[in-house]
Amino acid sequence: MRYITGTFLFSFLILSGVVHSQDSTFSVEEVIVTATKTEKTLQEVPVAVSVVTADTIEKANITDIYDLRSIIPSLDSRRFTTPTEATYVIRGFGNGSFNPGIEPSVAVFIDGVYRSSMQAQIADLPAIERIEVLRGPQSTLFGKNATAGVINVVTKKPSFEKSSYVTASVGSNNMKKFKYYTTGPLNETVAYSLYGNVHKADGHSENMITGNTSNTRDRFSFRGELFFELSNGATLRVTGDFDEYDEICCAVGSANYGVGNQIQALLGGGIIPNNPFTEKVFFDFDPVTEGDNSGISLHYKKERDGNTLESITSVRNSFNENVQDVDFDGSPTVAPSPLSKDLEAVTQEFRLYSNNNEKVNWLVGAYYYQEDMVFNESIYFGQTWRTYVDAFLPTGTISGIAAAFGIPDSILFASGQGGTESATQDNTTTSIFGQLDIKLSEKLSAIIGVSYMEDEKTVSYSQINTDVLSNLDFVAAGFPPSQASFFRGLQLVPQFTNFPNAAQDGKSTDDNVDYTFKLLYSVNEAISVYGGISTGFKASAWNISRNSDADANELAGLIAAGTPPSPNRSVGRRYAGPEEAEVIELGAKIYLPSGYLNIAIFDQTIDGFQSNTFIGTGFVLANAGSQSTDGYEFDLVYSPLENIDITMSGTFLDPIYDSFPGSAFGDLTGTTPSNIPEDTIATSVTWNWDMNGWDGFTRLSHLYSSEAVLLENTEAQAIIESQGNGIRKMDTLNFSAGIEKDNLSISLYGQNINDDEYLTSAFVAVVDFTQTTYFGYPNNYATYGLNVNYKF
């Protein structure tokens, strides 16, 4: 039915005369993109790409990359426990949150520099030229971790024309924001720009224990640039940036009020049953996330006779630490759980390409990436932990365990016990790539691209575990296997085997060849069609979580080496193999009298999708045999009248696990992956007007997505559905309006003005041994604001 609808739309536009013939005239502003690593118009590139202009970012009140989901239906973004634990999803494909060993499937580049994780991307957007969202695998040209797509952020270059502006904003939740930007010449050959941003806001959910709010904003960023026109005709752009954040986040609510909640309530917990949208949380302390990012990049460009050389060099540092209340309730069952991640990265890219040859254009390049990570996390029993656990057990169980091992009863489940994990990962990636754009005839051209990538990781992971229960060998003590397994299930901090060790060196090396082949045919001046195939690759991922442990082969190696692992442990998954993506795509790029319509039909598959599933105490990392989706998309930008702008974009998917026999919840083959709606549509209408010397606009936008289940565990999904919390569906309305005269502009905005409510995700409680307690992350509630901008 969805394909019929899309075909009807396309046919209607042609038959109604909206699409012009070769001899017709049309007027549309050209949109320049760098989706093929060289500047071309949006309608020239045979790539499914959505472009967000600076004007749209301003009118839609887009604050950071995360907010793009409100206007690009093929892009989804999900935030979880902290502001830095989030992930991007394109066409239903995406991962990389929670587990620092798993790299994202959606690659984010800012001015050509790769940002490896959400903590490195968290800052509010600087002065933007445009943002491109490339859909489908893009590994041929963008290399690292682009199996699902690319978010390519392009900022404003320094200008030799002097200009400045300041923007002050106030809004809901005591929001206050200030931005300053200035650019101009230092002399005839050097231009500069400076940008600063301060953003503060209270949260939307009150913590009933501490009196503070959750989901706050407290961010500061600074960016300075120099642009040199060198004597040899080359240019050099030097960029330095710094940002920091210190926020309380993130609110959760009860998706199913289970046994864990009921016991917590007896110990001082207060979460409101089965209603995640109460705007109240019950953390016994405020969960704080803070960190900073900094970097410098050098972009050198030299145009020569017949070709252009570009070099992008960067050095970046990122530090994040947070302290979480992982029991998500008001009782001190689990002590504050600190986590930190420190990243240091160096990148270098070279590109050499031809300058608009008549028949054949070419591009060759090389890329180098080095990132070192240090990761630490801890979790320890709180003051009420023993009482909490004892409530789950038959009377006398704890004292019976103590007697069996001849140890004092008081040291089992004692406050202060727990574990600290420390990990390092050194990652080096190198790639070479090339592409040919061949004009086969006046109307037909071919693009052929190929890349070769090598990825090396060296990982270490160790644990200090003071949980007495985790160090008891129940099997050796004569407990039956079923009882030993039951007691192992009571571990908040399971034992795992440190590595490198005698059977695991903690190293992985992957290499791969990716390619793209596309044909582009110009039907006439207004219409071009394209089709082809592209592939993508993401290297092996290491499981840096508490469920990282020796597999059967490593276990056998340790026993053979005379160094058996600690007792009372289970066989786990140490790492997952690479992801390999492929998409077959057909598309059309169509100029309209005043706008454009772009359509893509695709069949996309990721073999070995790196699934990272939360099971209560940690994450199970596994490769899905194959995850695929087929569907179609369209982007429509159209102005039926001179002062009316209409946009409509849609993504229609049919996602499925083609093969996933080894998931954490059994065989998921033939099922639909969680949290992926089949239909998503974003629409906006903007009325531009002028009156008494004032220019103004009024914009109304709507985001719709169809129903999607939140959990892949069918039993758990049924539990939260019974409370009305298992289905995610979006139906969100936003508006903005503004006036401008001379150098002054004033705008109002409202987001989610219809009070749409949905959960972005749901999860099982960390400390409910019955697996009946589930929490969910609510979406952002209605907010309103006022912006005042002055240019000088």
Side-chain angles (χ1 to χ4, degrees):
M1 183 66 183
R2 298 195 304 273
Y3 295 100
I4 295 173
T5 304
T7 303
F8 174 78
L9 173 65
F10 179 71
S11 303
F12 173 78
L13 288 167
I14 294 177
L15 294 174
S16 64
V18 173
V19 177
H20 280 233
S21 67
Q22 184 173 356
D23 297 327
S24 299
T25 59
F26 46 85
S27 174
V28 59
E29 182 180 355
E30 287 189 337
V31 179
I32 303 298
V33 298
T34 52
T36 57
K37 289 293 182 86
T38 59
E39 290 190 349
K40 292 187 176 182
T41 67
L42 174 64
Q43 301 305 94
E44 287 180 308
V45 296
V47 178
V49 53
S50 298
V51 179
V52 183
T53 64
D55 182 66
T56 299
I57 289 171
E58 180 180 351
K59 290 179 178 177
N61 198 51
I62 303 299
T63 298
D64 53 22
I65 297 175
Y66 185 87
D67 290 339
L68 291 173
R69 66 196 294 261
S70 66
I71 55 176
I72 301 178
S74 58
L75 173 67
D76 194 7
S77 48
R78 303 166 191 164
R79 183 169 288 143
F80 305 106
T81 312
T82 75
T84 57
E85 291 297 349
T87 191
Y88 298 119
V89 177
I90 293 179
R91 290 179 174 171
F93 297 102
N95 52 25
S97 60
F98 287 111
N99 193 325
I102 302 178
E103 299 164 295
S105 298
V106 176
V108 174
F109 290 83
I110 300 180
D111 290 330
V113 176
Y114 177 62
R115 302 288 184 94
S116 64
S117 66
M118 180 60 73
Q119 73 178 57
Q121 309 156 8
I122 190 174
D124 287 5
L125 291 169
I128 294 295
E129 183 72 30
R130 67 183 180 276
I131 300 175
E132 307 165 11
V133 177
L134 287 63
R135 308 188 290 271
Q138 307 291 330
S139 294
T140 303
L141 292 182
F142 286 89
K144 190 168 181 63
N145 302 332
T147 50
V150 168
I151 300 173
N152 186 35
V153 179
V154 181
T155 68
K156 290 184 180 294
K157 294 179 181 178
S159 172
F160 284 92
E161 294 186 9
K162 175 67 176 177
S163 66
S164 303
Y165 69 78
V166 292
T167 303
S169 306
V170 294
S172 303
N173 302 321
N174 197 30
M175 186 275 289
K176 297 180 287 292
K177 191 188 304 183
F178 179 83
K179 293 189 290 186
Y180 171 75
Y181 177 78
T182 184
T183 186
L186 290 176
N187 54 46
E188 292 183 352
T189 61
V190 182
Y192 74 92
S193 67
L194 296 173
Y195 174 86
N197 176 79
V198 177
H199 184 179
K200 293 179 179 291
D202 295 337
H204 59 60
S205 294
E206 182 182 0
N207 188 338
M208 306 306 292
I209 305 300
T210 68
N212 296 318
T213 57
S214 187
N215 293 62
T216 66
R217 283 288 175 93
D218 188 351
R219 300 179 182 180
F220 165 79
S221 61
F222 174 82
R223 182 182 178 95
E225 294 196 49
L226 293 173
F227 184 79
F228 299 87
E229 290 185 344
L230 305 178
S231 59
N232 59 358
T235 61
L236 177 64
R237 185 181 182 186
V238 181
T239 304
D241 67 88
F242 174 82
D243 69 83
E244 63 181 12
Y245 51 93
D246 185 356
E247 301 177 353
I248 300 173
C249 197
C250 293
V252 300
S254 169
N256 187 73
Y257 194 77
V259 175
N261 291 135
Q262 297 165 26
I263 297 175
Q264 287 268 21
L266 299 175
L267 301 175
I271 197 163
I272 297 173
N274 305 320
N275 185 354
F277 305 108
T278 62
E279 298 188 47
K280 294 179 174 62
V281 295
F282 295 85
F283 302 133
D284 47 289
F285 60 92
D286 292 318
V288 174
T289 297
E290 59 184 0
D292 59 71
N293 298 281
S294 60
I296 186 169
S297 65
L298 308 175
H299 187 167
Y300 174 84
K301 184 176 182 179
K302 166 71 173 175
E303 293 189 12
R304 304 181 294 188
D305 291 338
N307 60 69
T308 299
L309 173 67
E310 289 194 62
S311 169
I312 301 177
T313 308
S314 75
V315 177
R316 297 206 59 81
N317 294 280
S318 178
F319 177 73
N320 168 256
E321 61 181 359
N322 61 69
V323 180
Q324 291 300 308
D325 184 6
V326 299
D327 56 46
F328 302 105
D329 213 334
S331 168
T333 306
V334 181
S337 302
L339 177 153
S340 67
K341 183 167 64 171
D342 195 357
L343 303 172
E344 296 180 359
V346 176
T347 67
Q348 173 64 56
E349 182 175 6
F350 293 106
R351 295 196 299 267
L352 181 66
Y353 51 91
S354 59
N355 294 336
N356 296 321
N357 294 333
E358 185 176 348
K359 292 292 185 182
V360 179
N361 282 285
W362 50 268
L363 178 149
V364 294
Y367 180 73
Y368 172 83
Y369 172 83
Q370 169 67 45
E371 182 179 74
D372 297 332
M373 179 188 72
V374 177
F375 175 77
N376 296 282
E377 67 173 333
S378 299
I379 185 168
Y380 290 93
F381 305 158
Q383 298 171 14
T384 61
W385 176 247
R386 177 171 170 132
T387 306
Y388 176 84
V389 174
D390 198 29
F392 282 93
L393 303 175
T395 302
T397 300
I398 295 178
S399 58
I401 295 173
F405 285 93
I407 58 177
D409 177 283
S410 60
I411 68 171
L412 286 174
F413 303 102
S415 175
Q417 294 179 15
T420 295
E421 290 84 42
S422 300
T424 64
Q425 178 175 276
D426 298 335
N427 181 201
T428 301
T429 304
T430 55
S431 67
I432 55 175
F433 54 91
Q435 185 163 287
L436 291 175
D437 189 342
I438 307 170
K439 192 168 185 179
L440 301 174
S441 69
E442 185 177 345
K443 293 190 173 185
L444 181 65
S445 61
I447 290 181
I448 304 171
V450 65
S451 67
Y452 173 75
M453 184 177 76
E454 291 185 352
D455 186 279
E456 297 179 353
K457 293 185 174 75
T458 301
V459 184
S460 69
Y461 197 17
S462 61
Q463 181 191 64
I464 300 174
N465 193 321
T466 62
D467 175 12
V468 172
L469 183 76
S470 295
N471 288 278
L472 300 179
D473 191 340
F474 291 99
V475 175
F479 285 76
S482 60
Q483 198 171 27
S485 177
F486 171 78
F487 289 133
R488 186 162 55 238
L490 297 177
Q491 298 172 13
L492 181 63
V493 187
Q495 285 279 356
F496 69 77
T497 306
N498 298 344
F499 72 95
N501 56 50
Q504 174 57 261
D505 62 5
K507 296 181 179 180
S508 61
T509 301
D510 299 296
D511 61 79
N512 195 67
V513 175
D514 284 301
Y515 61 88
T516 184
F517 175 76
K518 294 181 179 180
L519 293 174
L520 177 67
Y521 182 76
S522 298
V523 179
N524 53 45
E525 290 183 2
I527 304 173
S528 61
V529 295
Y530 70 91
I533 184 172
S534 298
T535 67
F537 179 79
K538 189 170 76 164
S540 296
W542 288 82
N543 190 5
I544 301 179
S545 85
R546 294 187 182 92
N547 280 74
S548 177
D549 211 340
D551 59 18
N553 291 332
E554 184 181 338
L555 181 60
L558 289 169
I559 293 173
T563 55
S566 302
N568 205 35
R569 53 162 304 285
S570 59
V571 174
R573 284 298 302 268
R574 192 68 87 184
Y575 57 88
E579 288 183 0
E580 297 189 36
E582 178 184 274
V583 65
I584 298 172
E585 188 168 286
L586 298 174
K589 306 265 180 140
I590 305 166
Y591 279 111
L592 304 179
S594 184
Y596 61 82
L597 170 66
N598 295 336
I599 301 173
I601 302 172
F602 57 87
D603 186 350
Q604 186 168 327
T605 302
I606 293 186
D607 290 331
F609 180 77
Q610 293 168 354
S611 171
N612 186 47
T613 305
F614 184 64
I615 59 170
T617 56
F619 294 86
V620 174
L621 178 61
N623 289 106
S626 177
Q627 180 183 339
S628 69
T629 186
D630 55 59
Y632 72 89
E633 304 161 319
F634 71 89
D635 285 315
L636 172 66
V637 175
Y638 186 57
S639 299
L641 300 173
E642 186 177 356
N643 63 338
I644 299 294
D645 298 326
I646 298 173
T647 69
M648 178 179 288
S649 301
T651 296
F652 307 92
L653 305 174
D654 187 14
I656 191 171
Y657 282 126
D658 302 294
S659 174
F660 196 0
S663 85
F665 307 122
D667 190 352
L668 294 179
T669 302
T671 64
T672 300
S674 64
N675 220 346
I676 304 176
E678 291 187 353
D679 306 334
T680 307
I681 301 172
T683 310
S684 74
V685 178
T686 304
W687 172 38
N688 302 288
W689 50 268
D690 61 85
M691 184 180 301
N692 298 325
W694 288 88
D695 294 324
F697 77 91
T698 303
R699 182 180 191 273
L700 191 66
S701 67
H702 180 252
L703 178 63
Y704 165 83
S705 72
S706 58
E707 293 184 349
V709 299
L710 292 176
L711 298 173
E712 291 174 354
N713 181 341
T714 55
E715 294 181 3
Q717 176 65 27
I719 290 174
I720 61 175
E721 273 195 50
S722 69
Q723 304 299 333
N725 296 317
I727 302 296
R728 171 191 170 191
K729 182 180 180 181
M730 301 171 63
D731 190 12
T732 308
L733 194 62
N734 306 312
F735 90 93
S736 59
I739 55 175
E740 181 176 2
K741 185 176 183 180
D742 298 327
N743 295 332
L744 177 67
S745 61
I746 302 171
S747 63
L748 295 167
Y749 70 85
Q751 295 178 308
N752 192 14
I753 60 175
N754 59 329
D755 289 317
D756 187 24
E757 293 181 342
Y758 57 89
L759 294 180
T760 61
S761 66
F763 61 98
V764 64
V766 173
V767 293
D768 187 345
F769 303 113
T770 66
Q771 302 277 290
T772 59
T773 299
Y774 290 85
F775 294 102
Y777 294 101
N779 65 310
N780 290 329
Y781 304 113
T783 57
Y784 299 87
L786 169 70
N787 303 316
V788 179
N789 178 274
Y790 185 77
K791 300 176 183 178
F792 55 94

